[in-house]
Amino acid sequence: IVWQTPANPDYIIHNGRFVRPYHFEFISHVKNRWAGKTIVDLFTEEFKGRPRDYYVKAVNSGRIQVDGELVHASYVVRSSQKISHFVHRHEPPVLAEDVLILQNEADVLTVCKPASVPVHPCGQYRKNTVVGILQAEHGLAPLFPVHRLDRLVSGLLIFAKNADKAEQFRQQIEAGLLQKEYIAKVVGIFPEGEQVVDANVNYNAREGRSSVEKGKLACTKFTRISTNGTHSVVLCKPVTGRTHQIRVHLQYTGHPIANDMLYLSFSIDPMCTNCPNLAPKGYDDEGLWLRCVRYSGPGWSYECPCPDWA
């Protein structure tokens, strides 16, 4: 038995927040590097989430169309053509926590984002996002994200309610007038004093992770808040804003986030048959221990009330 939220029939709350499956049309235009490929080869090579047989059936049944018309599986696409893919969309679930509204002003909205929920539509998510939930349950739209937090990260999130205010925030961010701060629970005893990590960050979109190698310049400042001898709580101040920057920089220091399965390095003994069944050291069932706790500018600041974190 599931309980359906009365505020919006699209959401079902039952050991998580689920979205009732719905029909959706993905639209894209043929890029120059796609031109000359068959419609099936294009989808098979560029959208690897489904097998080739699915795309053959989707074209033959008309769920994939070009310029609004039915085509055959061997149809060769041309640059700038419109491709439509009709699907019955099943979004992955997220945690059932509410998006807590902290302050609702005329042109600025401040909320506390729960872990597991992406900020805006991306990848497999559209309605199970902060933007989607705020629109469905509170009628707040349009919203312009001033900054983003990774899907697994919880914390303070600020939206502009109009394009002019969003542009003001953008200018302040580019001028270095605003600064984000995070708190992370990491493995090991983090060194005392401010630690500055200057290491390039390269994001691999296909793998969905970053690495410290040839890439964009990145800098993060870390300060240990406390330690219990096994883990440390660390204040993180990103100077630049690269994808997964804090997570990969903490891994680079040898102190990855305690339950970050993507960047938590661990080794196994190839002769031991039990090691593959063990979780990495420091892993537990809590949400990713990374939270944006403070966002400040000249003369103002916000604190994110996360009372349940250790």
Side-chain angles (χ1 to χ4, degrees):
I1 298 175
V2 298
W3 176 72
Q4 180 173 305
T5 54
N8 190 326
D10 288 332
Y11 292 111
I12 298 174
I13 306 298
H14 180 69
N15 295 328
R17 180 188 292 268
F18 292 79
V19 176
R20 191 180 302 280
Y22 57 93
H23 293 93
F24 187 75
E25 178 185 11
F26 287 96
I27 298 177
S28 63
H29 289 81
V30 178
K31 302 177 183 179
N32 290 334
R33 64 184 176 86
W34 295 355
K37 296 182 179 180
T38 68
I39 186 69
V40 171
D41 286 344
L42 187 161
F43 272 88
T44 302
E45 295 171 11
E46 297 293 335
F47 306 98
K48 300 180 183 296
R50 301 173 187 266
R52 182 182 182 85
D53 289 346
Y54 166 84
Y55 291 123
V56 172
K57 293 177 181 178
V59 172
N60 291 337
S61 66
R63 293 199 304 275
I64 292 179
Q65 300 181 7
V66 179
D67 287 335
E69 298 182 356
L70 301 179
V71 296
H72 49 79
S74 59
Y75 179 87
V76 177
V77 301
R78 302 186 304 275
S79 181
S80 299
Q81 285 185 304
K82 185 182 80 170
I83 299 177
S84 301
H85 183 195
F86 300 89
V87 298
H88 193 234
R89 195 170 191 182
H90 295 246
E91 292 193 25
V94 299
L95 295 178
E97 297 179 36
D98 292 331
V99 178
L100 178 63
I101 296 177
L102 304 179
Q103 195 163 349
N104 189 356
E105 301 177 350
D107 52 5
V108 179
L109 177 71
T110 308
V111 305
C112 192
K113 175 183 113 55
S116 81
V117 184
V119 174
H120 50 66
C122 60
Q124 301 179 73
Y125 298 91
R126 182 174 180 84
K127 296 186 178 182
N128 248 348
T129 62
V130 176
V131 170
I133 293 170
L134 288 173
Q135 178 176 356
E137 298 189 344
H138 299 279
L140 294 168
L143 294 175
F144 302 81
V146 172
H147 61 105
R148 295 184 299 173
L149 296 175
D150 288 348
R151 182 176 64 86
L152 296 178
V153 178
S154 64
L156 188 144
L157 198 62
I158 297 175
F159 293 93
K161 289 186 174 181
N162 55 69
D164 291 340
K165 192 63 178 181
E167 176 62 17
Q168 292 179 23
F169 275 119
R170 185 192 68 80
Q171 293 177 3
Q172 291 178 344
I173 292 173
E174 289 188 352
L177 300 178
L178 307 183
Q179 179 181 352
K180 287 190 285 186
E181 296 182 356
Y182 297 78
I183 287 179
K185 180 181 180 182
V186 304
V187 174
I189 303 176
F190 198 84
E192 291 184 324
E194 185 178 76
Q195 308 293 316
V196 180
V197 176
D198 282 298
N200 290 1
V201 171
N202 181 48
Y203 179 67
N204 187 318
R206 289 189 179 275
E207 295 183 1
R209 61 177 294 159
S210 294
S211 58
V212 178
E213 54 185 38
K214 292 182 179 179
K216 297 181 179 179
L217 296 175
C219 178
T220 313
K221 297 178 180 179
F222 300 103
T223 305
R224 190 180 81 189
I225 297 175
S226 64
T227 182
N228 61 6
T230 303
H231 297 92
S232 300
V233 177
V234 178
L235 176 66
C236 316
K237 296 182 179 181
V239 179
T240 54
R242 311 305 181 195
T243 301
H244 295 183
Q245 175 179 311
I246 293 176
R247 297 165 69 183
V248 73
H249 273 182
L250 284 170
Q251 180 198 46
Y252 178 74
T253 67
H255 300 278
I257 292 176
N259 63 345
D260 189 346
M261 293 296 290
L262 191 60
Y263 293 102
L264 185 60
S265 300
F266 68 104
S267 59
I268 62 175
D269 180 352
M271 300 299 293
C272 177
T273 58
N274 292 320
C275 280
N277 298 321
L278 297 178
K281 180 180 179 182
Y283 177 75
D284 53 38
D285 292 330
E286 300 173 79
L288 186 65
W289 279 100
L290 181 60
R291 304 167 185 270
C292 177
V293 294
R294 185 178 297 114
Y295 204 99
S296 59
W300 63 274
S301 66
Y302 288 109
E303 294 284 345
C304 182
C306 297
D308 298 326
W309 91 289

